Amino acid sequence: MSAEAADREAVTSSRPCTPPQTSWFEFLLEEALLETHLKKACPDPPPVQLIVQFLEQASKPSVNEQNQVQPPPDNKRNRILKLLALKVAAHLKWDLDILEKSLSVPVLNMLLNELLCISKVPPGTKHVDVDLASLTPTTAMAILLYNRWAIRTIVQSSFPVKLVKPGPPQLSLSSLILQLGSSSLHCTIDEKRLAGYCQACGVLTSSSDSSPQQSTLYSQIHCCMRCGNYQLVKIFLEDNLTLILPVQFRQSVLRELFQKAQQGNEALDEICFRICTCNTVCDVMQGRTIAIQFNQLFLKPSKEKIDFLLEVCSRSINLEHASESLKRKMAAFLKNMCVSLEDLQLVFMISSHELFITLLKDDERKLLVDQMRKRSPRINLCTKPVTSFYDIPASASVNIGQLEHQLILSVDPWRIRQILIELHGMTSERQFWTISSKWEVPNVYGSVILGIKDNLTRDLVYILMAKGLHCSAIKDFVHAKQLFVACLELVTEFSPKLRQVMLNEMLLLDIYTHEAGAGVSGDRPPSDLISRVRGYLEMRVPDIPLRQVVAEECVAFMLNWRENEYLTMQVPLLLVQTNPYVKLGQLLAATCKELPGPKESRRTAKDLWEVVVQICSVSNQHKRGNDGRVSLIKHRESTLGIMYRYVSEPLVLTTILSLFVKLHNVREDIVNDIAAEHISIWPSTIPNLQSVDFEAVAVTVKELVSYALTINSNNHFWLIIQADIYFATNQYSAALHYYLQAGAVCSDFFNKMVPPDVYTDQVIKRMIKCCSLLNCHTQVAILCQFLREIDYKTAFKALQEQNSHDAMDSYYDYIWDITILEYLTCILSSEIVKAKIIKAIGQTELNASNPEEVLQLAAQRRKKKFLQAMAKLYF
C-alpha cells in the first residue's frame, strides 16, 4: 500500500460515524425527546423538516372497510403530532422569515390554522370584529401572526394570486402595531418597508396613516386615471417641483397609460407624451437616465412637442433657489436636445428660449448655435441624449425598497456593488441575495457561496453569478460576460475554489457565445477556446464544484467542431475511464471517423451500441413502476444529454439517430420498422431483450429527430425518419406531410427527380398505405406507378373504390401507365370522363413504341405535377 493510500485509510477509519436520523414517531414515544433534540447544535432532522413530517403524518387520510378514502381521524395520535409541530414552531419563535422560506404555503397555512384553533379562536371568526384588548396575549398573538402571514403572502405573490384559503387580511395592521408594539417577541416589523407598502396601496384605498396631502394627491391621480383627463398632467407637472411622488409610482402610471393607449384608446396618446415628458424632466433633475420611451416619442419632433417640453422645463426648476448642480443638469439636457434635433427651426426654438439663455453662458450658446448652423444637412446627428451616471448618495432617507428595485433591474456590476454597499450601510440584518426569487445559482455552487462569512461579499458574489447565469440563459452574452468578469475578479482575492468555478462558467459562456455567433455561419472556434475546452476536460483539481452541463457542452463542442483526432487518439485514458461523457464522446467520434470509409467500422460501433443499451436497460435499481420509470428517464436524459441537447454536427446526429432507430427496430413486437442511414453497422440482436426499456427508447427517438430537425429542417433522411415515426403511430396525414417534404427538399420542390435512395419502394408503399387509410384511393392508384414494378393489383382495387375522399377525376391526368388508363375506360360509367381517358391514351408521348427516354420524360412530367399537387394538399 502506498503512503498516500495509507494516509487516506487512516483518515477514513478515524472519522466518526454519522448517527442515524431521528424518526418522527420516536417523538411520540418519548415526551422529552423533542426538547432534547431541538437543543442540539445541528439537529437532524432540522426543525422545519420536523414540522413538515408531523403535519404530514397528522393529515394522512384513512381508508375504511369499503376501501373508501376518509378524512384524517381526529384521534389522540394526530392531536399530539399537531401539538409537536406547534412546539417546534414556537422553538423557532414563530419567525415567518424562516417558516416561509422552508415551508410551502399549504403546510404553513395548516400550521397557523392549528395555532388559531389551539389559541381558542372560533372558526370563521372575522378578525376585523375582534377586540384585541379583550383577548388573552396568546390569542391576540395567534390572530396577529396569521394576518401578518396572509398580508406577506399577498405581497410576495405580487397580487392577485389566489391563496390557499388563508382568509382575507381583514385586520388593521396599523392598529395592531400600536397595541402590541413593533418589537414584540414574535413580531419583527420593518416599519419603513411597511410604510412603503401602505403608500403603494394608497392608490386604491385611502389609509388613515397617510398625511392629508398624500391621500388627496393619490386619490386625485387615481380618479384622473379612470377618467383620462388632462388634470393628471397638471399634477405631475406640479410634482416636478415638490417631488412628493416616488419615481416608481410615476413610472407605473406611465406604463398603465401606454398599455391603455396601445389597446386602441387614441385619446390617451397626447397624455402619454405629456406624462412621459414630465417624468423625463424629473429624471434629468434627479440625475437618472432618460427612459427609452422619451427618445421614441421624439423620433418625430414637432413645434408643439418642443413647446410643451420647454414649458415643463421652465416649471420644473426654481431658478432663484436651485443649486448650481441642478442648473447644470438642466442646461446639459437642453444642450443635448439641440444636438439631437435635425430641424434647425426646432433647435432655434430651444436656443432662443428664456430658460436656455439663462442657464447657458454666452460663449456656450454662441458655440452651440454656430455648430448647428454649420452642420451639413446630410449628416444625421439624431443621437440620443447621454446623461452621466448618477450614484445615489448614502443617506438614511433613501427608500430601501427603491434600492432593492434597482438592484433587481441592474445588470451593471459596478452599479450592483454600489447599491449593495448602500443597502448594507442602512441595515446589517438583511440577506439581500434573497430579495428576488428569480436569482438562482446551481445547488453545487450555492453551498460554497453561502459559506462566505462577510455578508456584503456573499451577497455580491451570489447576485453577480445569478444575474450572469440569467443573462446567459436569455442569450444576453455581453452582460453575462461583464457580470462573470466582475465576479471572477472578486473571488480571486479570497477563494481559489470559486475562482475555478467562475473560470468554468466563463468557458461555458464563451462556448455559448461562439455557437450563437460565428458558429452559426460555420466559422471554426479560435484555437485558444479549443485549448480551454481540452483543459477543462483534463482538469483534475480536487474539491471543485462542477456542473454537469459544462462537461456535456465541452464534449458536444469537441464533437460539433470535429475534434475527432483529440477524442479518439489524444484524450488521456484515465479521463475516458472516469468521465462518462468523455467516454461517450470518444465512441461517437471513433464511429463517425470511420463511417466514410469503404468498410464501415463495426468494432467501435459495437462498443457504442453496448454503452447505449446499458444506459437504456432496466436494472434492479429501476423497476417498472411509475417511480422507476421517472428515475430511468432522468437517468437516460442525464447520461445522454450531449446527444440530444447540445450536439449539432450533422454526421454525429445522423449516427446517434441511426443507433437509436436500430435499437427501436430490434423490439420483438415491432410492426413497422423505421429507416435510417448507416443502420447496418449496428448489431442485430440484444442478449437480454427484456432488460431494455423500449418505451424510453421510443421517446428518445422522437426527441432526437425533433431536435435534429431544429438544426436542419431540410435533411431529407431525418424527414423520412420523422415520417416513419408518424406512420408507425398511425398518424397518416402527418406521415404524408413529412414524406412529401423529404422529397421536396431534395428535388427543388419536385422540379427535379427525387433521388431513388429517398423515395425507396418502402417509402412509396408507406405513402400508398397512408393514402388508402385516408380513403384517397385515386392517389393510391397513381402512387402504385412510382414503384419499380407497378402494383397493378393494388391500383385496380383502389380505382374500384366508390367512397374516395380525393379529387378523383382531376387526378387522372397524372396517370401515365397505359394499362391503368385502359382499365379506367372499362370501369368508368361517365362517358365524358371516359372520353377524356381515351384521349389521354392517344397522346403521342405515351405511345409504347417510343424510346425509353421519351417514356421516362412523360412519366417524370406527370410525377412532378402530381407530387406538387399532393404537397399543396398536405403541407
Side-chain angles (χ1 to χ4, degrees):
M1 181 184 296
S2 66
E4 182 183 353
D7 291 343
R8 187 163 56 250
E9 183 175 347
V11 171
T12 305
S13 61
S14 64
R15 190 178 297 147
C17 297
T18 304
Q21 188 182 70
T22 308
S23 298
W24 62 269
F25 60 83
E26 296 182 48
F27 297 98
L28 287 173
L29 304 175
E30 187 177 344
E31 185 176 351
L33 180 59
L34 181 62
E35 184 176 355
T36 306
H37 180 80
L38 293 175
K39 285 182 179 179
K40 294 178 182 178
C42 297
D44 186 22
V48 288
Q49 189 176 338
L50 279 177
I51 293 175
V52 174
Q53 292 178 0
F54 290 150
L55 293 180
E56 186 180 66
Q57 295 299 325
S59 60
K60 275 190 174 179
S62 59
V63 180
N64 61 15
E65 296 178 354
Q66 287 76 32
N67 204 27
Q68 296 175 332
V69 178
Q70 301 294 320
D74 184 19
N75 52 30
K76 182 178 180 182
R77 168 188 174 276
N78 287 349
R79 287 195 294 272
I80 293 175
L81 284 169
K82 293 174 183 177
L83 185 60
L84 288 172
L86 292 173
K87 286 183 177 181
V88 177
H91 169 77
L92 297 173
K93 296 184 179 180
W94 292 100
D95 190 326
L96 287 178
D97 288 334
I98 297 175
L99 296 174
E100 287 177 337
K101 184 177 180 181
S102 307
L103 301 180
S104 64
V105 172
V107 173
L108 187 49
N109 181 46
M110 182 179 177
L111 180 68
L112 292 175
N113 273 298
E114 289 301 325
L115 176 63
L116 291 174
C117 181
I118 204 169
S119 301
K120 299 181 180 179
V121 178
T125 301
K126 289 187 176 181
H127 296 173
V128 72
D129 299 331
V130 174
D131 181 11
L132 291 175
S134 64
L135 301 177
T136 64
T138 303
T139 307
M141 186 276 290
I143 293 176
L144 170 63
L145 191 66
Y146 186 85
N147 281 272
R148 280 185 59 227
W149 170 70
I151 292 173
R152 286 162 65 112
T153 303
I154 292 174
V155 171
Q156 290 172 2
S157 58
S158 302
F159 305 99
V161 178
K162 185 178 180 181
L163 302 177
V164 187
K165 297 184 179 179
Q170 301 163 321
L171 203 57
S172 170
L173 197 53
S174 302
S175 62
L176 277 175
I177 294 172
L178 289 174
Q179 294 181 45
L180 296 179
S182 62
S183 58
S184 173
L185 175 63
H186 300 296
C187 179
T188 304
I189 296 177
D190 186 338
E191 294 191 31
K192 289 185 179 180
R193 179 182 286 270
L194 181 61
Y197 290 151
C198 292
Q199 191 179 63
C201 295
V203 178
L204 300 176
T205 175
S206 60
S207 172
S208 58
D209 298 332
S210 302
S211 66
Q213 181 186 9
Q214 285 187 337
S215 297
T216 304
L217 188 60
Y218 288 122
S219 61
Q220 285 177 357
I221 292 174
H222 187 49
C223 179
C224 292
M225 289 290 288
R226 286 181 297 182
C227 302
N229 59 41
Y230 279 82
Q231 188 70 21
L232 186 64
V233 178
K234 180 183 176 183
I235 295 172
F236 271 63
L237 195 52
E238 291 173 352
D239 188 70
N240 276 16
L241 272 177
T242 59
L243 298 178
I244 295 174
L245 298 175
V247 61
Q248 287 84 2
F249 178 77
R250 296 176 66 115
Q251 292 170 351
S252 67
V253 170
L254 180 60
R255 278 196 300 271
E256 187 172 342
L257 288 171
F258 270 124
Q259 289 173 0
K260 290 181 179 179
Q262 290 171 357
Q263 292 169 0
N265 191 344
E266 296 180 358
L268 289 177
D269 287 344
E270 182 64 18
I271 297 180
C272 286
F273 162 73
R274 296 194 170 215
I275 296 295
C276 182
T277 304
C278 292
N279 281 358
T280 300
V281 174
C282 183
D283 289 340
V284 168
M285 304 296 285
Q286 297 298 309
R288 291 185 290 268
T289 304
I290 294 176
I292 188 67
Q293 292 96 332
F294 178 77
N295 294 309
Q296 291 173 338
L297 290 172
F298 265 87
L299 288 176
K300 294 181 179 180
S302 64
K303 180 181 180 297
E304 292 74 22
K305 288 183 177 181
I306 298 296
D307 272 334
F308 182 75
L309 174 64
L310 290 171
E311 178 188 355
V312 174
C313 291
S314 300
R315 295 177 60 179
S316 299
I317 184 171
N318 188 331
L319 293 174
E320 293 181 6
H321 301 97
S323 63
E324 284 301 316
S325 173
L326 210 59
K327 292 178 180 178
R328 296 314 301 168
K329 288 174 185 174
M330 181 64 79
F333 172 68
L334 293 174
K335 189 174 177 180
N336 282 329
M337 282 300 303
C338 289
V339 172
S340 67
L341 294 170
E342 289 184 334
D343 191 335
L344 291 181
Q345 290 184 350
L346 300 180
V347 172
F348 291 133
M349 279 181 64
I350 298 176
S351 63
S352 60
H353 194 272
E354 182 181 356
L355 179 64
F356 184 92
I357 295 171
T358 305
L359 292 175
L360 270 76
K361 298 177 183 177
D362 290 343
D363 54 346
E364 289 179 309
R365 293 200 312 274
K366 290 177 181 178
L367 180 62
L368 180 63
V369 172
D370 289 342
Q371 288 176 349
M372 295 298 102
R373 284 174 175 165
K374 294 177 182 178
R375 189 171 64 184
S376 169
R378 293 175 296 176
I379 300 176
N380 183 7
L381 292 179
C382 188
T383 55
K384 297 176 183 176
V386 179
T387 57
S388 59
F389 178 74
Y390 176 66
D391 183 22
I392 297 178
S395 170
S397 63
V398 176
N399 190 303
I400 292 179
Q402 291 180 350
L403 285 176
E404 289 180 348
H405 183 67
Q406 292 180 28
L407 184 62
I408 291 172
L409 295 180
S410 180
V411 289
D412 179 1
W414 181 81
R415 183 69 185 127
I416 292 169
R417 177 178 177 274
Q418 291 300 109
I419 294 173
L420 281 173
I421 291 173
E422 294 289 339
L423 288 170
H424 278 273
M426 296 175 187
T427 175
S428 59
E429 299 175 357
R430 294 290 307 280
Q431 294 180 327
F432 293 105
W433 63 270
T434 64
I435 65 173
S436 174
S437 60
K438 302 295 184 182
W439 292 344
E440 297 179 353
V441 301
N443 293 333
V444 70
Y445 298 160
S447 58
V448 181
I449 296 174
L450 298 182
I452 298 174
K453 294 182 180 179
D454 181 71
N455 292 342
L456 173 59
T457 305
R458 181 186 61 232
D459 286 346
L460 185 54
V461 172
Y462 189 99
I463 293 172
L464 287 175
M465 177 178 283
K467 283 179 173 284
L469 291 171
H470 174 71
C471 287
S472 176
I474 63 173
K475 301 187 185 303
D476 183 1
F477 300 128
V478 174
H479 283 122
K481 188 64 173 282
Q482 294 172 357
L483 290 159
F484 281 168
V485 167
C487 192
L488 175 63
E489 292 176 355
L490 178 62
V491 300
T492 299
E493 300 175 1
F494 65 89
S495 176
K497 184 182 294 187
L498 285 175
R499 177 181 181 275
Q500 188 59 54
V501 165
M502 291 313 305
L503 289 174
N504 296 345
E505 288 299 326
M506 290 178 71
L507 170 62
L508 183 60
L509 178 65
D510 288 343
I511 291 175
Y512 288 156
T513 304
H514 178 78
E515 298 291 1
V520 174
S521 56
D523 294 346
R524 281 190 62 78
S527 57
D528 69 307
L529 180 56
I530 296 175
S531 299
R532 288 166 59 202
V533 171
R534 292 184 180 183
Y536 175 83
L537 292 174
E538 298 171 12
M539 180 179 64
R540 286 293 174 269
V541 182
D543 300 328
I544 298 296
L546 299 175
R547 273 213 298 162
Q548 174 180 312
V549 66
V550 184
E552 292 179 353
E553 281 284 7
C554 284
V555 174
F557 177 84
M558 301 298 278
L559 288 169
N560 288 338
W561 296 104
R562 300 182 183 179
E563 291 292 319
N564 296 339
E565 195 68 29
Y566 171 78
L567 288 172
T568 56
M569 305 293 292
Q570 300 174 19
V571 65
L573 179 60
L574 180 62
L575 181 60
V576 176
Q577 294 171 345
T578 57
N579 192 321
Y581 308 111
V582 174
K583 180 178 177 63
L584 200 59
Q586 184 189 58
L587 291 172
L588 272 168
T591 304
C592 294
K593 185 178 178 182
E594 300 183 17
L595 272 179
K599 294 183 178 179
E600 294 178 329
S601 171
R602 292 182 180 271
R603 182 180 59 80
T604 54
K606 185 174 182 293
D607 293 341
L608 178 59
W609 170 270
E610 290 175 352
V611 169
V612 173
V613 168
Q614 184 180 4
I615 293 171
C616 295
S617 295
V618 182
S619 65
N620 293 331
Q621 298 172 344
H622 300 114
K623 296 184 179 178
R624 290 188 179 271
N626 288 336
D627 294 341
R629 170 76 57 205
V630 173
S631 175
L632 179 62
I633 290 176
K634 286 184 177 177
H635 171 66
R636 170 182 61 87
E637 291 177 349
S638 171
T639 313
L640 301 178
I642 62 171
M643 287 190 171
Y644 60 93
R645 283 202 297 269
Y646 311 119
V647 171
S648 58
E649 205 282 323
L651 183 58
V652 179
L653 270 177
T654 297
T655 304
I656 298 169
L657 267 171
S658 174
L659 189 156
F660 273 94
V661 165
K662 181 66 175 184
L663 187 56
H664 173 273
N665 289 347
V666 299
R667 185 173 180 173
E668 289 180 340
D669 58 346
I670 197 72
V671 177
N672 298 304
D673 283 357
I674 299 174
E677 289 182 279
H678 312 301
I679 205 163
S680 62
I681 68 172
W682 313 110
S684 300
T685 58
I686 299 174
N688 189 4
L689 201 62
Q690 290 73 25
S691 68
V692 178
D693 188 335
F694 285 104
E695 291 185 27
V697 172
V699 170
T700 304
V701 172
K702 292 177 182 178
E703 290 176 352
L704 275 170
V705 72
S706 297
Y707 169 72
L709 288 174
T710 65
I711 302 298
N712 181 5
S713 59
N714 291 330
N715 187 305
H716 49 273
F717 289 115
W718 298 348
L719 289 167
I720 291 291
I721 294 175
Q722 181 70 82
D724 283 350
I725 291 173
Y726 281 124
F727 180 81
T729 53
N730 304 326
Q731 300 178 69
Y732 302 114
S733 181
L736 275 173
H737 169 90
Y738 281 98
Y739 284 133
L740 289 165
Q741 190 174 345
V745 298
C746 62
S747 65
D748 190 19
F749 197 67
F750 304 113
N751 285 303
K752 301 176 183 176
M753 188 173 69
V754 179
D757 61 337
V758 177
Y759 274 4
T760 61
D761 269 9
Q762 177 176 306
V763 170
I764 298 299
K765 287 178 180 178
R766 290 188 172 185
M767 292 174 71
I768 289 171
K769 186 173 181 180
C770 289
C771 292
S772 177
L773 293 169
L774 292 171
N775 288 331
C776 297
H777 300 294
T778 315
Q779 295 173 7
V780 169
I782 296 171
L783 284 170
C784 285
Q785 301 174 109
F786 283 63
L787 296 168
R788 293 182 182 178
E789 294 185 8
I790 299 176
D791 186 353
Y792 289 112
K793 181 179 178 182
T794 303
F796 292 167
K797 182 180 179 182
L799 291 173
Q800 289 175 353
E801 293 287 346
Q802 299 298 316
N803 186 24
S804 187
H805 293 171
D806 56 22
M808 297 183 68
D809 296 356
S810 63
Y811 281 123
Y812 294 153
D813 290 338
Y814 305 133
I815 300 176
W816 65 85
D817 182 78
I818 296 297
T819 304
I820 295 177
L821 287 171
E822 290 175 343
Y823 180 79
L824 273 173
T825 61
C826 299
I827 64 171
L828 289 174
S829 58
S830 171
E831 293 298 328
I832 297 175
V833 178
K834 189 180 295 186
K836 182 180 178 182
I837 299 298
I838 294 172
K839 183 179 179 181
I841 294 173
Q843 293 179 83
T844 307
E845 60 182 1
L846 296 183
N847 192 316
S849 302
N850 285 334
E852 186 65 23
E853 295 177 359
V854 176
L855 294 175
Q856 288 293 333
L857 188 61
Q860 181 57 34
R861 188 180 299 116
R862 286 162 176 77
K863 283 182 180 181
K864 165 192 167 182
K865 292 182 179 179
F866 172 70
L867 290 173
Q868 288 177 342
M870 288 278 284
K872 291 178 182 177
L873 184 62
Y874 289 101
F875 279 8

